[in-house]
Amino acid sequence: MTQKIRNIGIVAHIDAGKTTTTERILFFTGRTHKMGEVHDGQAVMDFMKQEQERGITISSAAITTKWKDHHVNIIDTPGHIDFTLEVERSLRVLDGIVMVFCAVGGVEPQSETVWHQADRYKVPRIAFINKLDRQGADVFNTVEMMNEMLGANAVPFQIPMGDEAEFEGIIDLVTMQAITYQGLDKVDSEIPDQYKEQAEKFREAMIEKLADFDDDLAEKYLNGEEILLDDIKRAARTAVLGICITPVFCGSAFKNKGIQLLLDAVVDYLPSPIDRGIIIGSDIDDPNVVISRKPSPSPPFSSLAFKIINDAYVGQQTFIRVYSGKLSAGSYVYNSTKNKRERVGRILRIHAASREEVSELKAGDIGALIGMKYTTTGDTLCDEESPIHLEMIHYPETVLDMKIEPAVVKERSKLSVALSKIGLEDPSFKTSYDDETEETVISGMGELHLEVIVDRLKSEHKVDVIVGKPSVAFRETVTREVRYDYKYKKQTGGRGQFARIDFRIEPNKGAGIEFVNNIKGGNIPREYIPAVEKGFRDTVETGLLAGFPMVDMKFVLIDGDSHDVDSSEMAFRICTRQALREIASRTHPQLLEPVMKIEINTPDVFMGDIIADVNRRRGKIGSMRRHRKGSQKLTGTVPLMEMFGYASSLRTNSSGRASYSMEFLEYRPMPAGIAEKVVEEQREKKKGRAA
């Protein structure tokens, strides 16, 4: 039954214990019979070699299990900001999430990022405060931080009995019982006297909060009537589904405490596909026409491809979330994004590194398809007779570039194939090839991201590569609107080349690269319009100022002319490129640099030196707030090009006691003096290569 499906994600800041929590869930649900540990490289969900070596999650892993007659699809996501796309595309297809917080660290930078990503997709969530056995653990401080920093409306549904080394169990405020553990066995008992007053106080606060979302519960509460277990669960479920509150649960995943109660909460409070309601898409011919699909096994079929993995044993696996209808192995589906028909070879349910073949997937299911030729991340698969186009997945901008070449020249084609496969799996990774310099450049989200890509090339694809130093991925844009009429004419004795375009270039801030065809009356035949667009996009890739890709620019084709004999697609493509080069200076092109949001946790005593160092790097600290007693959390912005070697500098300025994290914020114009130096360096490089 669709009502008994839970599609959930385990998400958090790095090192909050996501993967350990997931491993314990798999053990207690009977999916595994041995607890995998992250620290010894044995975690089921961290099955990639690079994950086991580093002790972190890099690729989101999916697994299916059962709890109390419910079918639970779990996706364990990365916590490192370099792999934020994995979280983004997982949240796009999940119905609910378990937000894991470290009881010591509280709300960390990536916690905020993931929280806002979940807000974007309106995903209901519950919270699990982990690591209560650690020194410095403080559940109530973490709840306070959730409310202050995330606006979470966090409501404790459990409180701990003891903390740090004295952590002995959990008080369930819903059932008003104490839960302790004898080995792996959960023991329910009366609440000890020393905790009764605190438990009653927090239960009262919980019920008072829930009464805001359930009239029956409110009436009982105001009249002093007995409030039943079902009353609390009903009100809590309503509030969670409406994203009005975040119930808070607690425990220690590593010590096997609190996991069964967390699973009960997943079943009791997080939504089924039916609770999430209809999915909205658009007509494939007119994006303004809205189409909806009910989460029912009845036709028509609709689904979203959210992840691709190349497996050495079964080939390419295309992960999909089914929103309506059902899909059988051996049947055909329509890719409405690519306008292609695809045949489904086999269907698999994925259990991290292992797999189970099934005959069909129904509404609410998550599974992997074998045999897809054209489908990539973000594509919609649906019935050909009832097509729909679902919302695409948001991809973050790349911020770092790295030159790469095969150690052996004859492996150039092998490198190209390997990069293509990795790019298909990871849309946040991009590859470009400069024909002029014969250099391959890979672009990613950060140094760790590119390091993992290089590692995968060597270990998975057996391509030995030589890499250059990471460099900042600058961008270009235009700042002035320019209209231009340009004619391209070339006679070579035989058939000539002729094309004329009348167009306008204008800034397109925040809206990306856009091509608009405003040709009226067919002055340029329809078959040549794509060639004009291709010429425009060719220029976008190579820039107008210093050879960097362009952003936020609109090209409007207004008029033009063609010749019956001499015009061709190539003529219009060349015409567009030359026209844009000719007017480059008139558009006042501007160099943009990636600016990062930075968060620094530091003891109070080192704040002065750290802020001064950030200022020297053209950064700006925007806010300071108390993180824990004696320490501050500094938040600000800083250009990425100034941050190479910052980890060593921070260690020096804080005697190794401060930590920081960065994530991409936006591209901003560079100061004129620095931009001139970058442009000059690019020109010198080109001269050197030409020589």
Side-chain angles (χ1 to χ4, degrees), residues 108-144:
E108 299 282 7
Q110 184 66 355
S111 310
E112 294 186 70
T113 301
V114 173
W115 190 271
H116 297 317
Q117 285 174 311
D119 282 342
R120 180 186 299 145
Y121 294 114
K122 297 181 172 59
V123 184
R125 64 214 78 164
I126 60 177
F128 179 66
I129 299 179
N130 191 25
K131 302 189 178 185
L132 287 183
D133 56 315
R134 293 283 187 91
Q135 185 176 351
D138 189 336
V139 165
F140 306 112
N141 180 57
T142 303
V143 170
E144 193 177 314

Side-chain angles (χ1 to χ4, degrees), residues 148-324:
E148 180 187 329
M149 298 166 64
L150 305 176
N153 203 2
V155 181
F157 275 44
Q158 296 171 351
I159 57 173
M161 291 191 291
D163 51 27
E164 300 183 354
E166 305 300 317
F167 174 56
E168 55 182 310
I170 297 160
I171 295 172
D172 188 335
L173 301 175
V174 177
T175 60
M176 284 303 276
Q177 284 191 306
I179 293 95
T180 52
Y181 295 86
Q182 293 181 356
L184 296 175
D185 296 326
K186 181 169 72 77
V187 180
D188 296 349
S189 60
E190 290 278 322
I191 297 173
D193 290 341
Q194 69 264 40
Y195 295 113
K196 275 186 177 176
E197 185 179 340
Q198 185 189 33
E200 284 167 1
K201 171 189 160 191
F202 275 96
R203 188 174 198 266
E204 179 86 3
M206 177 189 73
I207 291 173
E208 188 175 333
K209 182 72 74 172
L210 293 176
D212 292 340
F213 310 103
D214 187 285
D215 291 341
D216 291 339
L217 178 63
E219 190 174 336
K220 285 186 175 183
Y221 175 65
L222 292 171
N223 293 333
E225 298 176 30
E226 182 186 359
I227 294 172
L228 305 175
L229 184 65
D230 287 346
D231 294 328
I232 295 174
K233 288 187 175 182
R234 182 189 65 248
R237 186 172 180 79
T238 300
V240 170
L241 297 188
I243 319 181
C244 302
I245 66 166
T246 305
V248 177
F249 304 88
C250 58
S252 169
F254 185 63
K255 296 290 179 65
N256 311 309
K257 294 178 179 178
I259 300 301
Q260 298 101 318
L261 297 172
L262 179 63
L263 279 163
D264 289 343
V266 166
V267 167
D268 289 339
Y269 307 124
L270 287 180
S272 72
I274 290 175
D275 295 320
R276 290 284 276 158
I278 61 173
I279 182 77
I280 299 295
S282 61
D283 185 89
I284 60 171
D285 296 319
D286 185 353
N288 295 317
V289 175
V290 174
I291 299 175
S292 61
R293 293 277 189 268
K294 290 182 180 178
S296 160
S298 303
F301 169 74
S302 64
S303 68
L304 186 77
F306 68 94
K307 184 177 174 66
I308 288 173
I309 290 178
N310 283 290
D311 188 283
Y313 300 101
V314 298
Q316 182 175 300
Q317 300 175 4
T318 304
F319 283 74
I320 66 166
R321 158 70 194 265
V322 181
Y323 286 102
S324 66

